[in-house]
Every structure is written in structure tokens, then in C-alpha cells.
Amino acid sequence: MNVVILAAGMGKRMQSALPKVLHPLAGKPLLLHVIDTARELAPSKLCVIYGHGGAAVPDVVARQNTGAYAEITTALQEPQLGTGHAVMQGLPHLDDDAPTLVLYGDVPLTSAASLKRLAEVAGKDKLGILTVEQDNPHGLGRIVRHGGHIVRIVEEKDASDDERRIREINSGIMMIPTRHLKQWLGSLSNENAQGEYYLTDIVAQAVADGVPVVSASPSAQWEVAGVNSKVQLAELERRHQLNIANALLERGVTLLDPARIDVRGELICGRDVVIDVGCVFEGRVDLADGVHIGANSVIINSAIAAGAQVKPFSHIEEAVVGAKSIIGPFARLRPGTTLAEDVHVGNFVEIKNSQIAAHSKANHLAYVGDATVGSRVNIGAGTITCNYDGANKFRTVIEDDAFIGSDSQLVAPVTVGKGATLGAGTTLTKDAPAGKLTISRPKQLTIESWKRPVKTKH
Ligand code: UD1
Ligand code: MG
């Protein structure tokens, strides 16, 4: 089949410089939701009609052409003279022998299942329309039937009072035999209330030519809901997030509140995963069996191994957390962090581009950057790896069983040997030998004769 995605409308009501179809839903541009759904139908041709925003839309489309799927082409519609005129711009890209499915770039949540149903009823030689009964059909095209058969679509602005009472609406999504489509589009007129070339006028032409017109319905109204404003975008975001949350619940994930989770990408969960309220997941996140995520955590492109606990208000990005580890509350794991099993990272600890081996702990107020940390290491409160001289980054190596006293600075490049101990407050500028106490603190002294000054009153 051919797929044409209409995305040339300007979206004035979005009040934004960004073309409407590039506004994100669940972190992904509206248009990419439609492209991804279209690709589930394995179309032989896929063409996006764009208009506003210069090269922004074609640039985003070009990045989808990675080779795994049929190439997506783009066609410019300038000026925008209506939905029929928009489809006309795509005609040179279409295969005459396959039927053409028309989708809208601003209708992101249509399911592939609904589109497959439409494709099935339409077959190769019927005109199929995805329609739905709506309590408030205001502003939409109405499906006019005679004796149960669809005879035409009438737009709100052109409709009679009787026609406006019809509740069955045109979603805009249609499946059309392509040779007929070309011929019908060629004889469209713009003599209507909006002075536009309406794609919907092909329905009356099909009836006149004896081409059967059939319909299918989506599973829910939101499947064909479009985005024209930020209010509608926010409504569809919530709908989509609730769908994702329900799918997670169905798979056995415990969500403390399915209305308070945001998944902007792919969240893969094992068994007995528990997610508290207010968490955001971006990109691909893997939560293995028994993982608990505390409230208000943000996790981006990361993997959390079995039995690990992330306590509230943690921020984890491009990191790997080992089994049974305990992270947070208020921990930050930055890109390149790899923690082995049973690692504890406590409050106000930041770790970047570092590997930490099993059973090591940094429980309070520390910065560990560009470090290789062994097993059973204890990093005391206030420890800082001084990894940056303003121009270059250097590594810190802390070997197994080392103990870093509180408030130490490790000025990289530097190595703390196996089993070494650093006294609290050490500024380490040379390697600390294995198994020994190293301390850089001046000796403590008490001045016996000292007296605290007192204020004299005048
Ligand atoms: C259209 C349908 C209407 C249907 C409604 C569903 C027509 C004439 N009317 O009305 O029956 O109920 O959608 O939402 O088809 N577009 C272009 N180029 C244009 C005009 C539109 O690419 O010149 C794109 C828009 O970006 C949008 C889609 O087509 O994605 C629909 O356009 P819109 O202006 O919203 O059509 P409606 O008047 O709402
Ligand atoms: Mg519309």
C-alpha cells in the first residue's frame, strides 16, 4: 500500500515557531508517531506532505530513513489549498497499483490495528473511511448516508442544519484505490464555504462512479483525535501516558498511581517491579526483576539490575546499576557510570564516567568522576575526585578494600592502593600505597596561652 501523511497545515493555534507536527508527544514529534504506526503496515511508498517551517519537517523525516524500511519521501505543498490539494502533491510518489492510505501528521494515536481493519474492509477497489460517532461533532466533516450507504461527506461550514445533527464524523483517514484517486483529485473544485480543494469531495465522486464506499471504526475516539492547540496536545499526552501505564499494569508492574508516571520512550520491566509516583523515564530504560523506583526519580537510557532500589528524587542518565544496589535518595548518576552489584550511592552523591565494583559505598555528599573504584571500597562523606584542571580530565583509581576518609580530595591522576586508608581531610596529590594509612593533614595542636578576644565597652 501507499501511505500519504498530510502535514502541511500551519497549526496557528499552537502559538509556536515549531511546525505543529514536530511538537513532541511522549518525547517524540507527533509526525514520528504517525510514521511509526504507518511503518507497522509495511507500506511500499510513504510520502509526507509538508508546508510550514522550511526544512524542519523534511530534516526530521530524512533522519528516519535509516535503511530498515522503505524510504520516506517528502513533497512540498505551497500554498496550502486544502486536503485534496495536499494529497495531489504526493501523487507522483505513489504506486498506481496499490491502494493509498491517507493519514494526518497531527493525529498521533491511531492504532495500527484500526488501520489494518480499514485496509481490510477497503481491499483494493473500495473507498474506505475511518469514521466514528461523536457526542460533539462540531467542526468536523459529517458522514451522510442514504439507506445505510455512505453517499458523501459534508464539511461543517457547508452543512445544512439537518446534516449538522449527524454524529458520525470523518476522521480524515481514508483508504483509496490509487488510479481512481488520481482521476477524482483531477476534477475537484474549490467552490465551497472555505474555497478549498476538499479531499472529502472524492466520496461523492466514488458513489457517482459506482465505486463502493465503506467504513471502519477505531476502538476509541482518541485514536482519531487531532492536535490543534496546546490544550489538545496536553489532553492526548495524558491519554497516551494512561495507555502506557495500563499496559505496564497489565504486564504486572506495580504503579502506585497510573496517572502519575511519564514514559517518553521504551520502558522494559521484569517481574515484581514497583514504581512510585512522579517518575519520568526517557529513551530506553530497563528495570530488571524486583526493582523498586522511589517517587520523583528521572531515569534516562539506563539499565537497573535485579533487586536494585532507587530511592526518591534520584536522577540517573546513561548509567548501569548493578543488582541489589541502593541508589539515593537525591543521588545523581551521570553518563558512563557503571555500578556492579550491591553498590550503595547515597544522598547528594554525584558519579560520572566511573566504574564502581561490587559492595562499594559512597553514602553521603561526594563527587566521583572519571574514577575506577574496586570492591568493598568505602568513600567517606565529602570526598571529591579532582578530575579536571580546567582543560584536561584525569582518572582516579581506588583499589579494592580502600577506605577514603571523609572530606578528602583526590587530585587526579592518582591511585589509592589496595586496602589503603586515607585519613579524613587528606588532599591526595601522590599515590597512596597499598595497605597503609596516608594522611596530608598538619598535626593538630592546642595553644595553651590563647585567649578569646572580648569586646571592650566605651
Ligand atoms: C478535515 C476534513 C474533515 C474531517 C477533519 C478531521 C477535509 C476537507 N475535511 O477537516 O472532514 O472531519 O479533517 O480532523 O478534508 N492539511 C494539509 N494541507 C492543506 C490542508 C490541510 O496538509 O492544505 C493537513 C493538515 O495539516 C492536517 C490535515 O490536513 O493534518 C487536516 O487539515 P485541517 O485543516 O485540520 O482539516 P479540517 O478542516 O479540520
Ligand atoms: Mg482539523
Side-chain angles (χ1 to χ4, degrees), residues 183-240:
Q183 172 207 333
W184 295 332
L185 288 178
S187 47
L188 282 186
S189 113
N190 65 349
E191 283 163 27
N192 50 51
Q194 302 184 78
E196 288 184 1
Y197 294 94
Y198 292 164
L199 177 64
T200 45
D201 283 351
I202 67 171
V203 174
Q205 296 191 60
V207 173
D209 287 349
V211 173
V213 180
V214 295
S215 66
S217 293
S219 64
Q221 278 184 23
W222 51 259
E223 278 203 31
V224 295
V227 172
N228 297 298
S229 63
K230 293 281 170 73
V231 170
Q232 290 173 344
L233 181 62
E235 283 168 1
L236 281 194
E237 177 78 37
R238 283 349 295 163
R239 179 69 251 176
H240 184 54

Side-chain angles (χ1 to χ4, degrees), residues 306-350:
Q309 285 185 52
V310 175
K311 299 200 168 173
F313 299 99
S314 294
H315 190 280
I316 300 177
E317 180 172 11
E318 285 169 39
V320 175
V321 174
K324 297 197 178 73
S325 290
I326 300 176
I327 311 302
F330 299 101
R332 180 171 185 205
L333 304 183
R334 290 173 52 199
T337 296
T338 300
L339 310 181
E341 67 170 313
D342 184 36
V343 167
H344 293 194
V345 177
N347 37 248
F348 308 108
V349 173
E350 172 181 346

Side-chain angles (χ1 to χ4, degrees), residues 66-395:
T66 53
Y69 297 92
E71 195 204 352
I72 310 171
T73 54
T74 52
L76 176 64
Q77 184 200 18
E78 179 57 49
Q80 284 93 44
L81 302 178
T83 50
H85 178 255
V87 175
M88 265 181 233
Q89 314 311 309
L91 291 180
H93 298 270
L94 307 184
D95 182 352
D96 281 359
D97 296 319
T100 297
L101 175 67
V102 175
L103 302 176
Y104 287 180
D106 56 3
V107 177
L109 297 184
T110 319
S111 71
S114 297
L115 296 177
K116 281 176 187 159
R117 272 205 307 281
L118 177 67
E120 242 160 60
V121 297
K124 279 193 147 187
D125 46 16
K126 295 194 247 343
L127 194 166
I129 310 169
L130 200 63
T131 76
V132 69
E133 295 263 342
Q134 220 148 280
D135 295 337
N136 178 12
H138 181 78
L140 296 163
R142 309 298 207 284
I143 306 293
V144 181
R145 291 180 185 259
H146 285 169
H149 296 288
I150 296 174
V151 292
R152 63 192 184 99
I153 295 176
V154 62
E155 293 305 301
E156 169 92 20
K157 288 187 177 137
D158 302 290
S160 66
D161 287 347
D162 273 353
E163 287 166 337
R164 288 197 179 127
R165 277 191 279 275
I166 298 172
R167 288 174 45 233
E168 187 184 11
I169 61 98
N170 169 34
S171 70
I173 294 172
M174 290 189 195
M175 183 86 173
I176 312 147
T178 304
R179 286 181 205 282
H180 284 300
L181 175 66
K182 289 190 169 174
Q183 172 207 333
W184 295 332
L185 288 178
S187 47
L188 282 186
S189 113
N190 65 349
E191 283 163 27
N192 50 51
Q194 302 184 78
E196 288 184 1
Y197 294 94
Y198 292 164
L199 177 64
T200 45
D201 283 351
I202 67 171
V203 174
Q205 296 191 60
V207 173
D209 287 349
V211 173
V213 180
V214 295
S215 66
S217 293
S219 64
Q221 278 184 23
W222 51 259
E223 278 203 31
V224 295
V227 172
N228 297 298
S229 63
K230 293 281 170 73
V231 170
Q232 290 173 344
L233 181 62
E235 283 168 1
L236 281 194
E237 177 78 37
R238 283 349 295 163
R239 179 69 251 176
H240 184 54
Q241 292 300 341
L242 200 54
N243 292 344
I244 293 171
N246 285 336
L248 290 169
L249 292 170
E250 295 288 349
R251 273 184 259 130
V253 177
T254 300
L255 302 179
L256 274 293
D257 182 355
R260 284 185 287 169
I261 176 172
D262 285 85
V263 180
R264 303 177 191 145
E266 198 184 359
L267 175 61
I268 294 150
C269 294
R271 287 176 81 81
D272 299 309
V273 167
V274 177
I275 301 172
D276 207 337
V277 301
C279 293
V280 178
F281 299 91
E282 289 181 18
R284 188 190 153 115
V285 174
D286 268 279
L287 306 180
D289 293 355
V291 165
H292 281 223
I293 307 295
N296 300 306
S297 292
V298 176
I299 305 185
I300 304 160
N301 290 320
S302 293
I304 317 279
Q309 285 185 52
V310 175
K311 299 200 168 173
F313 299 99
S314 294
H315 190 280
I316 300 177
E317 180 172 11
E318 285 169 39
V320 175
V321 174
K324 297 197 178 73
S325 290
I326 300 176
I327 311 302
F330 299 101
R332 180 171 185 205
L333 304 183
R334 290 173 52 199
T337 296
T338 300
L339 310 181
E341 67 170 313
D342 184 36
V343 167
H344 293 194
V345 177
N347 37 248
F348 308 108
V349 173
E350 172 181 346
I351 302 183
K352 184 213 78 169
N353 189 31
S354 295
Q355 294 76 47
I356 299 189
H359 315 295
S360 289
K361 296 181 173 64
N363 270 331
H364 339 262
L365 302 158
Y367 173 60
V368 178
D370 301 310
T372 304
V373 178
S375 297
R376 296 171 302 278
V377 168
N378 194 317
I379 295 177
T383 297
I384 292 171
T385 54
C386 309
N387 60 327
Y388 187 48
D389 62 7
N392 308 292
K393 302 261 168 73
F394 300 99
R395 284 200 81 79

Side-chain angles (χ1 to χ4, degrees), residues 1-5 34-47 69-72 95 98-99 101 103:
M1 100 179 44
N2 307 298
V3 173
V4 176
I5 301 176
V34 182
I35 286 176
D36 287 349
T37 308
R39 279 178 158 172
E40 287 185 52
L41 308 173
S44 51
K45 306 279 180 190
L46 178 48
C47 179
Y69 297 92
E71 195 204 352
I72 310 171
D95 182 352
L101 175 67
L103 302 176

Side-chain angles (χ1 to χ4, degrees), residues 402-411 414-442:
F403 181 99
I404 312 298
S406 298
D407 198 26
S408 293
Q409 303 97 53
L410 282 57
V411 183
V414 77
T415 295
V416 178
K418 194 170 177 347
T421 300
L422 298 195
T426 292
T427 300
L428 193 72
T429 51
K430 295 189 289 261
D431 291 354
K436 302 230 162 69
L437 171 67
T438 298
I439 194 161
S440 73
R441 205 188 310 156

